Amino acid sequence: MTIRAVLFDFSGTLFRLEHESLDEHADLMRALTAPVGVAEGLDIDPAEWERRDLDGDLHRELHLKALTAAGAEDAADFYGKLCSPPFWQPYPDTAAALATGLPTAVVSNIAWDIRTVFARHGVGDRVDEFVLSFEVGSIKPDPKIFRVACDRLGVLPEEALMIGDSEEADGGAAAVGCRVEIVPPLETAQRPDALLQVLRKHVA
């Protein structure tokens, strides 16, 4: 079936947490955006960790706890960077990937408004719908969040391509019938055109 819409993940797909002022805790901060694993060994309730992207207050509380446990001197400052547009850098092909001319949605497990990141880089108007977990009440790989995205774009799931960096989270789109492509969450300088390569495979 012809692809009529594209769904993108945010972190590790279109943008990556990168900034010259980030210190040795940068890898932890990036890990905090990952779907699993971080709560282990940090005395954080795994059930609460799984819910963090549904509740902004819980998101902040758990991330501050994780950063403090990892030895961050000023956990609040680090958390502020995690949620701050200047610390998120686009991949070299992000702007072009968002300009396919097809209806486009960003589908993200997130508890803060990432629209500010897109606006900072001048690509906010290239996204038709932001389907964010804390706004819609479901978390990838829950099929609901992908159905919401397709419904908002006015396409069947079979007509949508989901591009993300997590087999576990983004791969959930396959359960509703979307095609799925996974790109590696490398440093932005190391991944110049992975998004465009994927789009060339599926979009005429």
Side-chain angles (χ1 to χ4, degrees), residues 11-76:
S11 175
T13 301
L14 291 173
F15 290 83
R16 190 172 188 268
L17 186 66
E18 290 181 353
H19 195 274
E20 61 184 9
S21 71
L22 295 176
D23 64 8
E24 69 273 14
H25 297 297
D27 287 339
L28 172 64
M29 293 176 72
R30 277 188 288 269
L32 292 175
T33 69
V36 294
V38 175
E40 298 175 6
L42 292 180
D43 192 29
I44 294 175
D45 182 347
E48 286 196 331
W49 185 254
E50 290 180 3
R51 292 182 50 253
R52 71 195 185 281
D53 288 324
L54 296 176
D55 183 317
D57 291 337
L58 181 63
H59 187 272
R60 185 177 191 278
E61 175 188 339
L62 295 182
H63 283 68
L64 291 180
K65 189 172 185 178
L67 287 164
T68 299
E73 294 183 4
D74 190 341

Side-chain angles (χ1 to χ4, degrees), residues 41-122:
L42 292 180
D43 192 29
I44 294 175
D45 182 347
E48 286 196 331
W49 185 254
E50 290 180 3
R51 292 182 50 253
R52 71 195 185 281
D53 288 324
L54 296 176
D55 183 317
D57 291 337
L58 181 63
H59 187 272
R60 185 177 191 278
E61 175 188 339
L62 295 182
H63 283 68
L64 291 180
K65 189 172 185 178
L67 287 164
T68 299
E73 294 183 4
D74 190 341
D77 178 65
F78 275 102
Y79 180 75
K81 292 175 180 177
L82 178 68
C83 303
S84 181
F87 293 85
W88 289 89
Q89 304 306 317
Y91 281 91
D93 56 346
T94 288
L98 291 173
T100 64
L102 296 176
T104 298
V106 172
V107 185
S108 179
N109 289 348
I110 203 80
W112 55 280
D113 192 350
I114 58 175
R115 294 175 182 84
T116 55
V117 177
F118 289 77
R120 176 181 174 83
H121 292 281

